[in-house]
Amino acid sequence: MSAHRGAARPEARVPCATAPVAVAAAAALALFLPASCVSVPPEQHPDLRVELPPRFAAAGDEGEGTDPAAGPPAEPAWWTTFGDERLDRIVEEALASNHDLAAAAARVEAAGAGARIAGADRMPQASFEFDPARRRQNFIGFPIPGGGGVLSTTTTTFGASLNLSWEVDLWGRLRARAAAGLADLEAAGADLEGARLSLAGQAAKAWFALVEGVEQVALARDTLQNRRLTRERIARRYELGVRPALDLRFALAAEARAEAELAARLQRLDAARRQVDVLLARYPDGRLGEDAGSVSLPVLPEAVPPGLPADLVARRPDLRAAERRLLASGLAVKEARAALYPSFRLTGSAGRLSRELEQLTKGDFSVWSIAGSLLQPLFQGGRLRAGVRLAEARQREGAEAWVQSALRAFAEVETSLAAETHLRAQERALAEAAEQSIAARRLAETRYDAGLVDYLSVLEAQREETLARGLLIDARRRLLENRIDLHLALGGGWRAPQAGDEPASGPEDAGIARIEMGGRPGGSP
C-alpha cells in the first residue's frame, strides 16, 4: 500500500463531536495554551503493510448504492435512526448523567493540566523572594574588657529580589516535551469521545435487552395461558372418561414448565431493568420500563449503504487516541535525543539588601546579578543513551500496537457488515417458522378436539410454536445489536450523501500514511 500523509487539519484540534466533549476539551486547552505557543503535527499513521480496498468487502456490490469515492457523511446521534423515542431519551439521559463519562471528562481536564505543566519549562521562570535574616557571631579569643565572656555581634538584614531564569531551547527538547503534552491532551479528548460512543452503545443495547425481556415475558404469559386452557379442556374430558390420565399428566407438566419459564423470563427482565438504571446513574430499583408493556423492538433501519469506503474507520476515537499517543512517543524520542546535547541557561536577579526594613525602598541599597551557564553531559553511566533507546522502543511498540488495533477495527466492521446479511436471513427464516408453527399448533389442537391425533402431537406443536416465537424475538434483538456494533466499529453513524456534500477522498487516497520515526534534535516537533 502506498503511504501518504493524512488530510490536513487545524493544529491543536480537539475532537468535539458532542457538547460534553467540546466543553471538557476546550476547558483543558484554555488551561494550557496561554502558557506556550506549541502546536503538534497533523494526524499521521503507520503503514498498515496491507492493501486497503476502496470499499468494505462486505458492504455490497460495486454497482449499487453510494459512489465509492464519496463516503457517507458522519451522523453523530446515530441512535435516532432506530426511530424509538424511548431509546432516544434513554441514551440522552445516560450521556448527561453517567459517572463513567464524567470521569472521562475529568481525565481530559487532567491531561490539559499536564500539558500546561509540560510546556511551562519553555517560558522564563520568575519568582519574588523576601529574605529577612538575623545572625549572631561569637569572636573566640577576644574577651570583653573588664569582665568575662566572649565578644559577639548580632546583625539583622532584610533582602528583597526578583529572580529570573530561562533555559534557551537550542535543540527543541522543551518544545518536543510541550508538544507531546498537547498530543496527550488530544488523545484524552478522543478517549472522551470514545467513552461517549461506547456509553451510547451500552445504553442502546441495554434498552433493547429490556424491550426483548418485555416481549419474552408477554410470550411466556401467552404460553402459560394456552397451557392452562389446554389443561382445563383435557381435565374436563378426563372427568367424562373421554381422555386417558396420561394426557392429563402431560398437560399438567406442560403447564408447570410454562410457569417456570415465566418466572425465569421475569427474572431476566428485572436484571435488564436494573442494568439500565445503573447506566442512567439511577438507584437500581428495577422499576424502569414498568410502563413499557406496549413497547416492541423497532424494525431495523434501512440497509447499510453499499460502497462504504474503507477509510471511514479513521473516524474511530480509539484509533485517533492511539495515533496521538504514538505521536507523543515520537516526540519523546526527540526529547531524549536532545538531552544528549548541551543545555544553556540564563539567570538574573535584581533587588535591595539593607539592615533596615524601611531602606529597601531606596535605590542606594540595590543589588543585581546576571549569569549564564552551559551544561554538557559527559558521563552519567549510560543513562541518557539508554533513555533514547527506551523512547525508541516504546515508539516502535506503539506503532505495532496501532497497526494491530487498526486491523482489528477493519475486522469488526467487516464482521458486522457480513453478520447483518446472515442475521437478516435468519430473521426471515424464523419469521416463517413462527408463522407455520402457529398454524400447526392450531391445526393440532383442532384435530385433537376431533379425536384424530393424540395429545403428544398437540404438545409437540405447542413447544415448536413457543420455541420459534422466542427465537424470532431473540433474532430481532441480535440484529439490532449487530447494527449497534457496526456503529461502534465505524466510530458513529452515517447518512446518505446529500446534494452539496463534498466528496471524500477517492480510492487512491484510502491508504494510511507512515508516521515519522523519531527525528533530529533541533527539528520542528
Side-chain angles (χ1 to χ4, degrees), residues 110-144:
R116 186 182 183 108
I117 293 172
D121 289 340
R122 296 189 65 243
M123 306 298 292
Q125 309 296 307
S127 63
F128 175 78
E129 182 180 4
F130 177 64
D131 185 19
R134 187 173 180 85
R135 179 171 178 248
R136 177 173 178 169
Q137 182 178 4
N138 293 331
F139 297 94
I140 305 298
F142 295 91
I144 299 176

Side-chain angles (χ1 to χ4, degrees), residues 482-496:
N482 184 75
R483 177 60 66 86
I484 294 173
D485 289 336
L486 179 58
H487 284 296
L488 298 180
L490 291 173
W494 61 83
R495 62 180 174 86

